[in-house]
């Protein structure tokens, strides 16, 4: 395990709700994404084509596989779902986080740029870019089938981020093309787009807060990084705050009071009520991705390292405890994987 002080980790805070715990080196080169669920952390190491499974407390690596070039990952229970690509194919690889082995692959056409799962892990949503636009491949893990939700037409469009609400019935998709960006609301029951909200600058991150609020992170040369507060009920932007110079990712605490933003050389901690940065976290290398547990912040970097910090524990959203009990209907037009 790497020595934390040797990596020049530091924290600058107004309050003392962030503290360095430990760090380790997972692999060579940049880590493209990181996800956590319970006692398991999963990283996708684009630099050496590997997926690693770590203990969330000790950061000890207890499993992993080599699988194409992994990009984005989601983890729920004892399964991780990672987008992998190579010269010959693109797929979602399913990793057993207990054994550290790939137990299933779903070949998919086109490039997968975002992955989210339902609370019970029975549905996996993979945002992908094709020749004529963007769509979401919906993996029914139980039936081992794949359906498609068509999102937007634009040859240069990409899906930058996605979130599924606690009911499992609304999928929020951040789409960017050469002209603008927009937040799209998809009804999972009907597999249809219900609402579109123009945002403007390229979207880098998306998170759902409490009481029908979403946070959309954007970045461009003119305005830098901006965090937009969106009223999902009325489908409008209600506030914005400058949060970073060149942000790339966003996570939100379970109670919605803290937003953590990956910037060029640090992670900014934003108080969403005050709409102000209250802390900056440095890991001694360029941060590439973040994940948030109940009271732990995991920061991956471009040197193949992972650092963990304690953060103020937050109370989960009141409705989330019922999410796993809600049935999510299968998407229309289920068909064999392509």
């Amino acid at each position: 395990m790497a020595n934390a002080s040797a990596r020049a980790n530091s924290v600058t805070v107004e309050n003392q709700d962030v503290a360095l715990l430990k760090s380790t080196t997972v692999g060579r080169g940049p880590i493209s994404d990181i996800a956590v669920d319970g006692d398991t952390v999963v990283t996708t190491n684009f630099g050496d084509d590997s997926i690693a499974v770590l203990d969330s407390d000790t950061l000890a690596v207890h499993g992993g596989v080599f699988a194409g070039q992994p990009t984005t990952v989601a983890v729920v229970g004892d399964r991780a779902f990672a987008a992998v690509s190579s010269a010959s194919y693109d797929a979602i690889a399913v990793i057993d986080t207990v054994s550290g082995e790939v137990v299933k692959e779903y070949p998919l056409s086109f490039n997968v740029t975002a992955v989210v799962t339902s609370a019970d892990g029975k549905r996996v949503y993979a945002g992908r870019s094709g020749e004529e636009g963007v769509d979401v491949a919906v993996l029914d893990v139980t039936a081992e089938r794949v359906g498609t939700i068509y999102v937007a037409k634009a040859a240069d469009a990409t899906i930058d981020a996605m979130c599924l609400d606690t009911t499992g019935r609304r999928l929020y998709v951040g789409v960017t093309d050469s002209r603008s960006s927009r937040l799209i609301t998809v009804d999972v029951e009907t597999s249809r787009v219900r609402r579109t909200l123009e945002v403007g600058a390229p979207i880098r991150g998306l998170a759902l807060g409490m009481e029908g609020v979403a946070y959309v992170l954007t970045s461009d040369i003119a305005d830098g990084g901006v965090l937009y507060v969106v009223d999902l009920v009325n489908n409008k932007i209600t506030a914005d705050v400058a949060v970073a110079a060149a942000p790339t990712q966003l996570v939100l605490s379970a109670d919605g009071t803290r937003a953590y933003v990956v910037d060029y050389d640090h992670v900014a901690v934003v108080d969403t009520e005050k709409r102000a940065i209250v802390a900056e976290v440095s890991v001694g290398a360029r941060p590439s991705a973040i994940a948030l547990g109940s009271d732990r912040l995991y920061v991956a970097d471009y040197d193949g390292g992972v650092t963990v910090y304690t953060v103020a524990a937050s109370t989960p959203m009141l409705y989330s405890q019922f999410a796993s009990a809600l049935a999510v209907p299968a998407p229309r037009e289920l068909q064999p994987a392509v």
Side-chain angles (χ1 to χ4, degrees):
M1 180 175 293
N3 186 309
S5 61
R7 292 172 56 80
N9 306 80
S10 65
V11 182
T12 304
V13 293
E14 280 183 7
N15 45 40
Q16 295 299 315
D17 62 355
V18 183
L20 171 66
L21 278 181
K22 61 189 68 177
S23 64
T24 190
T25 298
V26 177
R28 301 187 305 273
I31 293 174
S32 51
D33 200 11
I34 184 170
V36 60
D37 186 42
D39 59 2
T40 301
V41 174
V42 179
T43 65
T44 52
N45 194 315
F46 191 85
D48 61 6
D49 297 345
S50 66
I51 301 168
V53 181
L54 295 77
D55 183 279
S56 63
D57 185 35
T58 66
L59 294 187
V61 178
H62 60 78
V65 294
F66 290 94
Q69 292 183 323
T71 52
T72 184
V73 64
V75 58
V76 56
D78 61 356
R79 290 291 186 269
F81 302 89
V84 297
S85 62
S86 70
S88 58
Y89 78 103
D90 295 284
I92 296 294
V94 184
I95 298 96
D96 184 322
T97 59
V98 177
S99 67
E101 298 179 351
V102 174
V103 294
K104 179 72 177 180
E105 281 194 354
Y106 293 89
L108 296 175
S109 301
F110 311 126
N111 181 37
V112 176
T113 55
V115 174
V116 296
T117 71
S118 60
D120 58 10
K122 294 182 179 180
R123 295 281 190 275
V124 180
Y125 301 86
R128 55 186 184 173
S129 304
E131 296 176 355
E132 298 182 357
V134 292
D135 63 29
V136 177
V138 185
L139 282 58
D140 183 325
V141 176
T142 303
E144 296 189 345
R145 294 184 295 179
V146 180
T148 302
I149 299 174
Y150 298 98
V151 176
K153 290 184 177 181
D156 60 350
T158 60
I159 292 178
D160 305 286
M162 294 193 303
C163 284
L164 189 68
D165 75 355
T166 53
T167 70
R169 294 171 179 167
R170 292 290 183 274
L171 181 67
Y172 297 93
V173 184
V175 176
T176 299
D177 58 33
S178 58
R179 295 173 299 171
S180 183
S181 68
R182 50 208 177 274
L183 177 63
I184 295 175
T185 303
V186 175
D187 186 325
V188 172
E189 293 183 357
T190 63
S191 298
R192 293 185 178 181
V193 171
R194 289 305 184 191
R195 283 181 168 183
T196 298
L197 175 65
E198 293 295 325
V199 178
I203 294 173
R204 304 305 184 197
L206 172 63
L208 300 182
M210 301 183 73
E211 299 178 349
V213 173
Y215 296 89
V216 180
L217 178 68
T218 67
S219 177
D220 66 9
I221 296 175
D223 298 324
V226 177
L227 187 64
Y228 290 96
V229 182
V230 177
D231 178 346
L232 294 174
V233 175
N234 296 300
N235 199 41
K236 66 178 183 180
I237 295 171
T238 59
D240 62 79
V241 56
V243 295
T248 57
Q249 201 176 62
L250 164 73
V251 294
L252 190 71
S253 63
D255 59 6
T257 62
R258 290 289 187 272
Y260 299 85
V261 177
V262 176
D263 201 356
Y264 178 79
D265 59 358
H266 67 276
V267 175
V269 184
V270 181
D271 185 317
T272 58
E273 295 178 353
K274 296 179 180 178
R275 294 172 186 164
I277 296 173
V278 295
E280 290 187 356
V281 180
S282 173
V283 296
R286 282 186 61 191
S288 59
I290 49 177
L292 189 64
S294 59
D295 61 353
R296 297 285 190 274
L297 176 68
Y298 300 88
V299 183
D301 61 54
Y302 281 90
D303 286 350
V306 174
T307 305
V308 59
Y309 299 85
T310 59
V311 295
S314 60
T315 303
M317 298 179 193
L318 297 177
Y319 195 74
S320 62
Q321 58 186 310
F322 304 110
S324 60
L326 295 174
V328 180
R332 293 182 174 183
E333 300 179 4
L334 288 175
Q335 56 198 24
V338 293

